[in-house]
């Protein structure tokens, strides 16, 4: 996670973002176009329980990113809190898995909670976080 955190801190803030959701596979793909890097930084989110996205309808397709925060929640109480925030009335605490909580602020507000997260810098190898 430290490499991803470094990338968030140094490259993803003040980048442009393209968001896509593949309906069949349920994969969220976030493509960041950083000003300080000639290439893409891509996040892949799967098995997601939250996808909240708010953006002005008159904005362009590319979304300006002001700040990116990614937090891994491993403690059952923290994971349960995220599900409760989303209105889940019941869940089996024994079956809860660690999740990634991705928050993006800027030209849009984006919040994702997912059980599978990986990332890729340029055309490099895909790095699995969860």
């Amino acid at each position: 996670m430290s490499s991803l955190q470094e990338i968030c801190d140094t490259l993803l803030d003040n980048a442009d973002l393209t968001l896509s959701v593949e309906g069949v596979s349920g994969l969220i793909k976030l493509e960041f176009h950083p000003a300080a890097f000639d290439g893409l930084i891509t996040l892949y989110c799967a098995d997601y329980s939250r996808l909240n996205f708010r953006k002005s309808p008159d904005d362009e397709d590319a979304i300006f990113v002001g700040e990116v925060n990614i937090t891994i929640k491993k403690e059952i109480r923290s994971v349960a809190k995220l599900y409760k925030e989303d209105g889940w009335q019941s869940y089996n605490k024994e079956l809860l898995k660690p999740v990634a909580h991705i928050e993006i602020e800027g030209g849009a507000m984006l919040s994702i909670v997912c059980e599978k997260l990986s990332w890729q810098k340029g055309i490099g190898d895909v790095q699995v976080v969860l």
Side-chain angles (χ1 to χ4, degrees):
M1 178 67 177
S2 63
S3 297
L4 179 58
Q5 191 58 50
E6 290 172 16
I7 286 175
C8 286
D9 294 342
T10 59
L11 295 179
L12 299 187
D13 293 351
N14 300 317
D16 285 331
L17 169 67
T18 304
L19 165 73
S20 63
V21 180
E22 297 177 13
V24 175
S25 65
L27 179 72
I28 301 170
K29 187 160 98 174
L30 305 169
E31 291 181 326
F32 294 87
H33 306 268
F37 175 69
D38 188 25
L40 288 177
I41 307 293
T42 307
L43 296 181
Y44 303 97
C45 310
D47 293 348
Y48 62 92
S49 61
R50 176 192 298 177
L51 173 57
N52 292 337
F53 180 65
R54 293 181 309 271
K55 174 175 131 12
S56 175
D58 59 344
D59 284 344
E60 297 178 15
D61 289 339
I63 304 157
F64 171 75
V65 174
E67 185 176 349
V68 177
N69 291 305
I70 300 175
T71 309
I72 304 299
K73 307 281 186 177
K74 294 182 179 180
E75 184 186 31
I76 290 175
R77 194 174 315 145
S78 298
V79 175
K81 182 181 177 195
L82 286 174
Y83 288 133
K84 190 171 185 177
E85 287 174 4
D86 288 336
W88 289 45
Q89 298 298 316
S90 64
Y91 45 82
N92 186 341
K93 287 186 179 181
E94 295 172 5
L95 297 178
L96 292 180
K97 298 177 182 178
V99 296
H101 185 200
I102 303 165
E103 297 177 291
I104 299 173
E105 297 178 4
M109 304 299 281
L110 179 63
S111 179
I112 299 171
V113 174
C114 61
E115 290 183 2
K116 294 181 181 177
L117 174 66
S118 56
W119 62 278
Q120 182 178 28
K121 183 177 179 183
I123 57 170
D125 294 334
V126 174
Q127 306 295 317
V128 176
V129 178
L130 285 176

